[in-house]
């Protein structure tokens, strides 16, 4: 009698079907023969126990004969320390998730990898936040790529290790990948070989969807050069407005472009004669000029602003001599141009002349000058909303001096009694950004300075201090 | 020197956010007048005074947090483990002395089990309980017979109370273990394909228990102990320590599983003797809201004496003496194949047919995906099915990198639940 028959009998019940007497060979048979046939329920239960145990103890495993899988390639770099790996775990599972980008960047600077057991958590985090994907791929190593290739959810991080346009993996990924993984592939390729990346894009340009075309043009921001100009000039005639706009915005950054020359021809007479344009023609629209002004701005001033901002700055001459004589509208336009064209001389002249509200200019000056300028503004104006805006554009690292100045001002602000004013509200809203960018060396000072804060500040200050301390420890674990 | 690793400290946290919060305060710059001695570690963080009793593991902090331990107490321990120089050995301040004194006084007042050992009275108590459990199991056997008379098919339409009422009667009869085995039957009925076979085995095992109990007094002590274990009649720590010969080895902590029961949480910690190859199970019971019991950390090995609970295949044990503190596991002592591991299981089942969950430690297996399921394959190509959550599976795959790894876990119903993976000379616990 087989096991299946025994179970079938048990399902129906002894009341309806008398159980077949269980028999077997050998020692098992001996045990079963000891059961009492006069007691059908007891026999059934005992046989169930005995045969079940027999089957359990003698379990045979099935054999899986599929050839071995391709293992992950050997890793060239070392994993980070256990303390750093634990830090990643607490970033992913704690309140300070926002510092993940900084942690990944620090890890890349010391040329270490995320240990394999932490990869799934990191890949999930970067799946949810595409801005972290490139840095995740950088510190995931061979194991990260191998692992991502096995889980469709992480497909964006899979694929070949060196993005090479001639590599079959790249060609396949470009031809068949998802929109997100293609964008990442193009971005990685653009970073290593800008020309090859653009050529790859051109090879399939005609068949891309409008959404993809606009996104791919934006990827060309990385390592943009005059080599891209012919392609971008062509994209100005795209059927889709978003694509045209994206192409124009990149060309505004290239003073040598044909678009730049056309803009110079348009704006030079206007500036020379101090007049505003009285119309926008289709050629201007093709070059990215937007007809409708933002709320609160006159349309002619708006057009003027756009034309001058897209004009190569060398059209005008020596900035030191010019900016002091220019009116505010012209200065604004030049400031926008200097930020886009990353023109250091113009940026410094405009920042020195004052009156220009263009925080993006900080991006056009050397890092130490930007930090010095921000420090200067804090000393003269304090942490006003405008200065906070400027700090938004001040590149990290801020260094101990600027960070210390921010903390001193914060210390004053958080002790101020009475009803919080608009400035305090704006500052409180910026605390998270500040805590993420201040140099962690000011942690001790911060704790001392902010200890006496008023009740309205206390929860945000405590969180602020915790985050700074967290970042300080994080930096110590990943010191080069 | 701090004897508490960061992982041990984290295992004390009441929840995951507490760990992050503790890390954020575990920084030397936030602490003043921190120190430690043999009894305690203490310090001040932003105006809060935190201390930890190292001997009885208790926490004190004057912060408003309701969590025990709070982030300051945990942070203090983390600080001590990461920056020992920030928590130097010093004489304890008065507030720590006061706290320890109050604790000592309270402990002295707690009733101490000092019942006079009267062998006759004890024998009467034991005989009484054997009889009570026997009566309960007789009732259970009648119920099992009724179940197979009406047919297992009838079980599918039964409400939960059908099982729960019997389980409750087993608890009344002082056989809570039999009660939870009955509750398990309710789960088997809803467990999908093949449930009638599994239900029949489970019913058979309980029948076997009831039958064996009829002859309790005539059975050898080891078998009596097996029956006591299934019935849920346990031993006190003192009884175990008094009756067992300590087994000393370098015990490797190869896995930890936590299950939430209705009123408490059970933590199962599996140990493997590096020299003797024996496996041992440490059980910890806590209230669901309390901090998880510290216990040894997965991936470490500790030189210790274990006292095994009695039985034909002793498995559950207590750590009676620690000779040397934990270090990392140095070498993996897994079975070479699944076949070899299952042969040990067969021997175990022959000794104690009621064992339903056994440890399995194997070497050189690979995670493989097939038929939409997750499996592990050994060097002979034999495969076993794995029971894992999605995050556990991907961590296993990540750690293996497509190469053979060591695996430790619990074997139950023909499925392996992996608890840790061994690769690159390091053991990683799996979620």
């Amino acid at each position: 009698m087989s096991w299946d028959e025994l179970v079938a009998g048990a399902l129906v019940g002894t009341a309806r079907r008398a159980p077949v007497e269980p028999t077997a060979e050998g020692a098992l048979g001996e045990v079963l023969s000891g059961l009492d046939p006069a007691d059908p329920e007891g026999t059934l239960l005992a046989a169930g126990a005995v045969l079940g145990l027999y089957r359990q103890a003698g379990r045979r495993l099935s054999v899986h004969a599929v050839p071995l899988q391709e293992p992950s390639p050997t890793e060239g770099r070392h994993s980070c320390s256990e303390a750093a790996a634990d830090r990643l775990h607490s970033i992913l599972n704690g309140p300070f998730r926002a510092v993940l980008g900084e942690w990944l960047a620090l890890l890349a600077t010391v040329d270490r990898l995320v240990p394999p057991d932490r990869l799934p958590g990191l890949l999930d985090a970067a799946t949810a936040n595409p801005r972290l994907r490139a840095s995740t791929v950088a510190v995931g190593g061979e194991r990260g790529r191998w692992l991502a290739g096995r889980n469709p959810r992480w497909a964006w991080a899979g694929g070949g290790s060196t993005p090479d346009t001639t590599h079959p993996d790249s060609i396949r990924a470009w031809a068949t990948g998802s929109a997100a993984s293609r964008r990442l592939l193009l971005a990685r390729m653009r970073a290593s070989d800008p020309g090859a990346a653009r050529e790859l894009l051109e090879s399939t340009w005609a068949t891309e969807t409008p959404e993809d075309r606009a996104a791919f043009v934006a990827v060309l921001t990385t390592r943009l050069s005059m080599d891209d100009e012919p392609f971008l000039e062509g994209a100005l005639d795209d059927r889709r407005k978003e694509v045209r706009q994206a192409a124009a915005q990149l060309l505004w950054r290239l003073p040598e472009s044909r678009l730049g020359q056309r803009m110079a021809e348009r704006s030079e007479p206007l500036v020379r004669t101090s007049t505003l344009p009285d119309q926008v023609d289709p050629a201007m629209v093709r070059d990215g000029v937007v007809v409708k002004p933002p709320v609160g701005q006159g349309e002619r001033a708006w057009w003027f602003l756009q034309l001058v901002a897209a004009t190569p700055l060398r059209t005008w001459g020596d900035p030191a001599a010019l900016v002091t004589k220019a009116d505010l509208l012209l200065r604004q336009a030049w400031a926008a141009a200097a930020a886009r064209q990353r023109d250091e001389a113009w940026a410094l002249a405009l920042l020195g002349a004052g009156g220009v509200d263009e925080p993006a200019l900080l991006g056009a000056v050397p890092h130490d000058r930007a930090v010095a300028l921000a420090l200067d503004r804090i000393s003269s104006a304090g942490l006003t909303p405008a200065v906070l805006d400027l700090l938004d554009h001040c590149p990290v690292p801020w260094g101990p001096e600027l960070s210390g100045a921010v903390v001193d001002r914060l210390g004053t602000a958080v002790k101020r009694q009475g009803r919080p004013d608009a400035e305090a509200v704006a500052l409180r809203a910026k605390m998270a950004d500040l805590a993420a960018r201040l140099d962690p060396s000011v942690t001790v000072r911060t704790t001392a300075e902010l200890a006496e804060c008023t009740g309205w500040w206390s929860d945000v200050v405590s969180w602020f201090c915790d985050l700074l301390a967290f970042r300080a420890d994080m930096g110590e674990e990943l010191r080069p | 020197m701090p004897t508490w690793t960061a992982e041990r400290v984290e295992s004390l946290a009441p929840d995951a956010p507490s760990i992050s919060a503790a890390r954020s305060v575990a920084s030397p710059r936030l602490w003043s007048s921190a120190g430690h001695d043999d009894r305690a570690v203490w310090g001040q963080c932003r105006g809060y005074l935190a201390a930890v009793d190292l001997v009885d593991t208790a926490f004190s902090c004057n912060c408003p947090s309701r969590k025990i331990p709070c982030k300051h107490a945990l942070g203090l321990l983390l600080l001590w483990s990461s920056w020992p120089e920030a928590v130097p050995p010093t004489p304890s301040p008065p507030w720590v002395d006061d706290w320890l004194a109050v604790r000592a006084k309270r402990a002295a007042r707690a009733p101490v089990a000092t019942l006079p050992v009267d062998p006759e009275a004890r024998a009467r108590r034991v005989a009484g309980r054997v009889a009570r459990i026997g009566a309960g199991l007789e009732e259970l056997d009648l119920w099992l017979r009724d179940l197979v008379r009406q047919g297992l098919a009838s079980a599918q339409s039964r409400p939960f109370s059908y099982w729960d009422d019997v389980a409750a009667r087993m608890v009344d009869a002082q056989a809570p273990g039999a009660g939870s085995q009955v509750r398990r039957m309710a789960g088997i009925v809803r467990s999908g394909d093949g449930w009638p076979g599994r239900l029949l085995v489970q019913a058979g095992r309980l029948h076997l228990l009831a039958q064996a109990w009829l002859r309790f007094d005539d059975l050898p002590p080891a078998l009596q102990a097996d029956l006591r274990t299934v019935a849920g009649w346990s031993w006190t720590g003192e009884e175990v320590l008094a009756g067992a010969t300590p087994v000393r080895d370098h015990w490797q902590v190869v896995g930890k599983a936590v299950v939430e029961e209705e009123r408490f949480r059970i933590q199962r910690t599996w140990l493997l003797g590096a020299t003797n190859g024996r496996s041992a199970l440490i059980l910890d019971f806590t209230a669901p809201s309390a901090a998880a019991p510290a216990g040894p950390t997965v991936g470490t090995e500790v030189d210790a004496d274990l006292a095994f609970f009695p039985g034909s295949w002793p498995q559950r044990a207590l750590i009676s003496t620690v000779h040397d503190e934990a270090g990392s596991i140095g070498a993996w002592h897994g079975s070479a194949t699944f076949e070899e591991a299952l042969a040990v299981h067969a021997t175990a089942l022959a000794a104690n047919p009621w064992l339903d969950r056994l440890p399995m430690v194997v070497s050189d297996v690979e995670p493989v995906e097939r038929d939409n399921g997750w499996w592990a394959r050994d060097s002979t190509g034999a495969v076993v099915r794995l029971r894992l959550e999605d995050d556990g599976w991907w961590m296993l795959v990540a750690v293996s990198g497509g190469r053979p790894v060591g695996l430790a876990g619990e074997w139950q119903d023909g499925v392996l639940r992996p608890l840790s993976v061994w690769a690159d000379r390091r053991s990683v616990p799996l979620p």
Side-chain angles (χ1 to χ4, degrees), chain B residues 180-200:
Chain B
S180 56
Q181 295 292 332
V182 172
R183 282 205 187 87
R184 233 185 110 192
M185 294 173 82
I188 291 176
V189 172
R190 286 161 189 79
S191 66
D193 272 359
W195 69 268
R198 288 193 292 277
L199 188 64
L200 178 60

Side-chain angles (χ1 to χ4, degrees), chain A residues 141-357:
Chain A
E142 296 292 346
R143 185 68 59 94
R145 255 183 300 276
W146 177 87
L147 183 65
R150 302 171 56 86
N151 188 338
R153 173 165 103 219
W154 302 326
W156 54 266
S161 53
T162 42
D164 169 359
T165 42
T166 58
H167 193 279
D169 275 357
S170 303
I171 294 168
R172 198 179 323 117
W174 182 250
T176 61
S178 68
S181 64
R182 297 179 72 215
R183 205 168 302 168
L184 190 71
L185 177 75
L186 188 68
R188 280 163 58 198
M189 209 176 277
R190 178 73 179 178
S192 60
D193 187 348
R198 190 192 57 249
E199 280 159 26
L200 180 69
L201 176 57
E202 284 177 290
S203 71
T204 57
W205 182 250
T207 59
E208 304 291 353
T209 66
E211 291 77 19
D212 281 349
R213 287 203 304 273
F216 288 144
V217 169
V219 169
L220 299 184
T221 312
T222 311
R223 302 187 65 179
L224 180 70
S225 75
M226 275 302 286
D227 295 341
D228 302 311
E229 198 264 359
F231 170 71
L232 291 170
E233 177 73 28
L236 291 176
D237 295 317
D238 198 273
R239 289 187 304 278
R240 189 67 166 244
K241 188 180 159 208
E242 288 82 355
V243 181
R244 297 195 299 267
Q245 202 65 36
Q249 280 167 9
L250 290 188
L251 288 169
W252 294 346
R253 298 171 175 223
L254 295 170
E256 310 291 327
S257 64
R258 280 168 279 175
L259 180 146
Q261 297 318 304
R262 293 194 293 271
M263 284 297 191
E265 282 158 26
R266 289 170 189 135
S267 57
E268 205 269 339
L270 296 172
V271 170
R272 187 158 29 83
T273 58
S274 296
T275 40
L276 297 176
D278 38 35
Q279 60 162 0
V280 172
D281 60 33
M284 292 185 194
V285 174
R286 178 178 181 270
D287 286 346
V289 173
V290 176
V291 179
K292 195 173 154 42
V295 179
Q297 188 153 33
E299 60 178 11
R300 294 182 64 203
W302 166 241
W303 298 336
F304 176 82
L305 201 63
Q306 293 182 85
L307 294 178
V308 177
T311 299
L313 284 161
R314 60 177 159 66
T315 312
W316 313 112
D318 174 25
L322 288 165
V323 288
T324 44
K325 284 180 278 178
D327 64 12
L328 198 57
L329 181 65
L330 185 53
R331 278 195 213 173
Q332 285 289 2
W334 278 339
R340 281 175 194 162
Q341 295 168 31
R342 304 211 152 234
D343 191 308
E344 186 186 334
W346 276 88
L348 286 172
L350 287 158
L351 283 164
V356 182
D357 184 20

Side-chain angles (χ1 to χ4, degrees), chain A residues 446-470:
Chain A
T446 307
T447 314
E449 279 290 330
L450 306 190
E452 316 261 297
C453 65
T454 63
W456 186 71
W457 283 97
S458 64
D459 59 335
V460 71
V461 159
S462 136
W463 188 86
F464 182 87
C465 293
D466 286 353
L467 176 51
L468 266 182
F470 188 89

Side-chain angles (χ1 to χ4, degrees), chain A residues 383-385 388 413 416 418-432 456-457 460:
Chain A
L383 293 174
T384 60
L388 289 172
R416 199 167 294 139
R419 237 180 108 80
D421 55 9
E423 206 164 285
V425 172
L427 181 55
R428 198 170 186 269
K430 278 283 180 200
M431 291 288 273
W456 186 71
W457 283 97
V460 71

